[in-house]
Amino acid sequence: MPCGALRHCATRWPTPPADSATPSDTVTPMDTLHIYNKLLQFALFQGLSKADLGALVTHTRLGFHKYAEGDTIARAQTTCDRLFFLIDGRVEVVTSADNGSYALAETAAAPLLFEPEALFGVSPHYASLYRALTPCSVIGIGKDEIYKLIDRFPIFRINYFNLLSALIQKRHARCWRSHGESIDSRVVDFVHSHSRYPVGAKRVVVKMVRLAQELGCSRLEVSRALHRLQNQGRLQLFRGGFVADLAAPAHQQSTPDTFRQ
Amino acid sequence: MPCGALRHCATRWPTPPADSATPSDTVTPMDTLHIYNKLLQFALFQGLSKADLGALVTHTRLGFHKYAEGDTIARAQTTCDRLFFLIDGRVEVVTSADNGSYALAETAAAPLLFEPEALFGVSPHYASLYRALTPCSVIGIGKDEIYKLIDRFPIFRINYFNLLSALIQKRHARCWRSHGESIDSRVVDFVHSHSRYPVGAKRVVVKMVRLAQELGCSRLEVSRALHRLQNQGRLQLFRGGFVADLAAPAHQQSTPDTFRQ
């Protein structure tokens, strides 16, 4: 995975992941309005009063980062010491199997919060890699600052509880939904169950023999299913995997999964 | 599902789910010590100082409920308006597929917190049914009181964030773990992936043809796998399902799943 260097940071938090961030006490009224509008796109900040948001923007150490195409914003398995809010641009989100035998890359666009659960829990690490597909603007808020926001703003913390709980509920619901019976449906289910985001192109890097093991069928059956789906225009095979741009499987279409904001 | 009546409640919160609970201002020092010890068994309260716990027990409306064997404590799909802490006894936890085509019943013992995520999120409902297998003692804390604890005790709220985040991380990790290839392994994986708790007997009510659909194989293959597992003493078939008391699948044994406290 290429790891591009950080190309530019605003002066208020010059070199993430440095811990020497200084409060954003030089924010102008115009900046403040712009940051307001950007933050209000995220569920975590919704419902905060204008006064609270003003206090938040003025007194919270916000890191403003810009990344060029190809730069790595956060790396899988590294410690999550801040929340990243993608406010402009598109990223590729790559998740790999524990044993490295397959991986799935998704594209997602701003506004996007990276793994809100990664800041807490038994394993405070990013599970996926986040790489800029276009020039990206990101607001980073360190763990200490998030703790302060949780302490200070009841709406923020309830939003956070709601966000985490919704993720658990949606994962649970997905497990108990009916699965398709054909191999074609199982391929589509596999892609959906390994995706963070319900829509968009998913690039799956997997050998047919490995996918067959995951689906509990033969390599030949998987090969036929993938070619059928390709003939239907639902995916595009390449050497070592496929790109799928799948709608929800037919048996799930009544309950579209908006797994992540 | 039988729904036993509530047999006895202590006077401090006589008739759940009534909302007329009164503060537990009659708690004696002996009661307080007992409740301390019971609450400290739960991750949510760990790390609270003795003074904080004392204040919590004195000022929080705690509902003390007793249930007889067979009583339903919480019903699936009903609104979750309080957290239930099972402090004594054993319960059966029943979860059903969306379309009702199969169900899994697990047993779990105190200390047990029922679905901490059910209080928040887009769907604040219990996903499972909880029924007393033995006489059970439960402390119920209403949503308003939980909000006050979250507001008042930073350690409590961080514990709650950690608990929810750990649930997401463990669900995610389970999805990306390698799956067994044989039908036998897939049966075991199916039971694990639908279980809330990593250990204990699981009663799976499912027709073989339905299980075959879930596993992507034929009814005959499932039947053979179930009989092989029965011959190994790993499960017991009954008409319409099986009871499994399974250790973690071999390929998962290095990472025991302590999915819930």
Side-chain angles (χ1 to χ4, degrees):
Chain A
M1 304 286 179
C3 170
L6 192 69
R7 303 296 164 84
H8 168 75
C9 282
T11 52
R12 266 163 276 158
W13 197 353
T15 48
D19 287 330
S20 56
T22 54
S24 56
D25 50 8
T26 58
V27 176
T28 67
M30 186 59 86
D31 283 344
T32 304
L33 188 64
H34 180 67
I35 301 167
Y36 271 1
N37 294 334
K38 290 297 182 186
L39 292 183
L40 277 174
Q41 296 179 94
F42 294 89
L44 276 184
F45 298 100
Q46 280 166 18
L48 281 166
S49 69
K50 202 170 172 183
D52 280 350
L53 261 180
L56 188 153
V57 171
T58 308
H59 298 295
T60 305
R61 287 185 293 189
L62 304 174
F64 297 91
H65 316 308
K66 286 195 178 291
Y67 296 86
E69 186 185 330
D71 286 351
T72 296
I73 303 173
R75 197 179 287 276
Q77 315 311 330
T78 57
T79 303
C80 170
D81 61 355
R82 68 199 61 206
L83 286 189
F84 281 122
F85 298 84
L86 180 72
I87 55 172
D88 276 308
R90 286 171 58 244
V91 291
E92 185 178 53
V93 184
V94 183
T95 317
S96 302
D98 275 10
N99 60 7
S101 61
Y102 62 94
L104 184 138
E106 305 175 67
T107 60
L112 186 79
L113 170 61
F114 300 178
E115 300 181 38
E117 74 278 13
L119 212 53
F120 300 96
V122 286
S123 174
H125 299 86
Y126 294 106
S128 302
L129 173 142
Y130 296 81
R131 188 168 37 214
L133 284 176
T134 65
C136 283
S137 300
V138 173
I139 294 179
I141 308 183
K143 190 166 184 171
D144 288 350
E145 294 293 309
I146 292 291
Y147 273 44
K148 286 182 201 164
L149 297 182
I150 285 171
D151 283 350
R152 186 166 177 185
F153 299 108
I155 292 176
F156 181 85
R157 62 176 169 259
I158 295 302
N159 286 343
Y160 212 145
F161 277 117
N162 280 326
L163 185 59
L164 296 178
S165 298
L167 289 175
I168 299 171
Q169 290 158 3
K170 285 174 182 171
R171 285 250 174 188
H172 180 89
R174 179 187 284 169
C175 177
W176 287 89
R177 246 185 241 141
S178 178
H179 292 100
E181 294 172 36
S182 68
I183 310 275
D184 301 29
S185 297
R186 303 182 73 79
V187 170
V188 175
D189 273 337
F190 175 86
V191 176
H192 278 280
S193 67
H194 286 76
S195 298
R196 288 189 181 277
Y197 312 103
V199 293
K202 320 288 181 190
R203 184 163 53 88
V204 185
V205 179
V206 63
K207 289 187 176 152
M208 284 205 198
V209 67
R210 182 80 204 99
L211 186 56
Q213 289 165 353
E214 284 293 315
L215 303 184
C217 58
S218 71
R219 187 199 166 288
L220 184 61
E221 285 174 314
V222 162
S223 172
R224 284 178 181 156
L226 289 174
H227 281 93
R228 268 194 303 272
L229 289 164
Q230 181 167 252
N231 290 340
Q232 292 164 17
R234 303 188 70 192
L235 58 78
Q236 185 66 46
L237 285 161
F238 61 83
R239 189 175 176 81
F242 59 91
V243 174
D245 198 348
L246 308 167
H251 60 283
Q252 293 182 13
Q253 280 179 355
S254 58
T255 53
D257 186 351
T258 52
F259 181 53
R260 300 247 164 163
Q261 62 171 334
Chain B
M1 303 286 179
C3 170
L6 193 68
R7 304 296 164 83
H8 169 76
C9 283
T11 52
R12 264 163 276 159
W13 198 353
T15 48
D19 288 330
S20 56
T22 55
S24 56
D25 49 8
T26 60
V27 177
T28 67
M30 185 60 85
D31 283 345
T32 304
L33 189 64
H34 181 67
I35 301 165
Y36 270 2
N37 293 334
K38 289 298 183 187
L39 292 183
L40 276 175
Q41 297 178 94
F42 293 88
L44 276 185
F45 297 101
Q46 281 166 18
L48 281 167
S49 69
K50 204 171 170 182
D52 280 349
L53 260 179
L56 188 154
V57 171
T58 309
H59 298 295
T60 305
R61 287 186 294 190
L62 305 173
F64 297 91
H65 316 308
K66 285 195 178 291
Y67 296 86
E69 186 184 329
D71 286 351
T72 296
I73 303 173
R75 198 179 285 279
Q77 314 312 330
T78 57
T79 302
C80 171
D81 60 356
R82 67 199 61 204
L83 286 188
F84 281 122
F85 298 84
L86 180 72
I87 56 171
D88 277 309
R90 286 170 58 241
V91 291
E92 185 178 53
V93 185
V94 183
T95 318
S96 303
D98 275 10
N99 61 5
S101 62
Y102 62 93
L104 184 136
E106 306 175 67
T107 61
L112 186 78
L113 170 60
F114 300 179
E115 298 181 39
E117 73 279 13
L119 211 54
F120 301 95
V122 285
S123 172
H125 298 87
Y126 293 106
S128 302
L129 173 142
Y130 296 80
R131 187 165 41 213
L133 285 176
T134 65
C136 283
S137 299
V138 172
I139 294 179
I141 308 182
K143 191 166 182 170
D144 288 351
E145 294 293 309
I146 293 290
Y147 273 44
K148 286 182 201 163
L149 297 182
I150 285 170
D151 282 352
R152 185 164 177 187
F153 300 108
I155 291 177
F156 180 86
R157 63 176 168 259
I158 294 303
N159 286 342
Y160 212 145
F161 277 117
N162 280 325
L163 185 60
L164 295 177
S165 297
L167 289 175
I168 300 170
Q169 289 158 4
K170 285 175 180 170
R171 286 249 173 188
H172 180 89
R174 180 187 282 169
C175 176
W176 286 88
R177 248 185 240 140
S178 177
H179 292 101
E181 293 171 36
S182 68
I183 309 276
D184 302 26
S185 297
R186 302 182 74 79
V187 170
V188 175
D189 273 337
F190 176 85
V191 176
H192 279 280
S193 67
H194 286 76
S195 298
R196 288 189 181 277
Y197 312 103
V199 294
K202 320 288 181 190
R203 185 162 52 87
V204 185
V205 179
V206 63
K207 289 186 176 153
M208 284 204 198
V209 67
R210 183 79 204 97
L211 186 56
Q213 288 166 352
E214 284 293 316
L215 303 184
C217 58
S218 72
R219 188 200 166 285
L220 184 61
E221 285 173 313
V222 162
S223 172
R224 284 179 179 156
L226 290 174
H227 281 93
R228 267 194 303 273
L229 289 165
Q230 180 167 251
N231 291 340
Q232 293 163 17
R234 304 187 70 190
L235 58 77
Q236 185 67 46
L237 285 161
F238 61 82
R239 191 175 174 81
F242 59 90
V243 174
D245 197 349
L246 308 166
H251 59 284
Q252 292 183 13
Q253 281 178 354
S254 59
T255 53
D257 185 351
T258 52
F259 180 52
R260 299 245 165 167
Q261 59 172 334

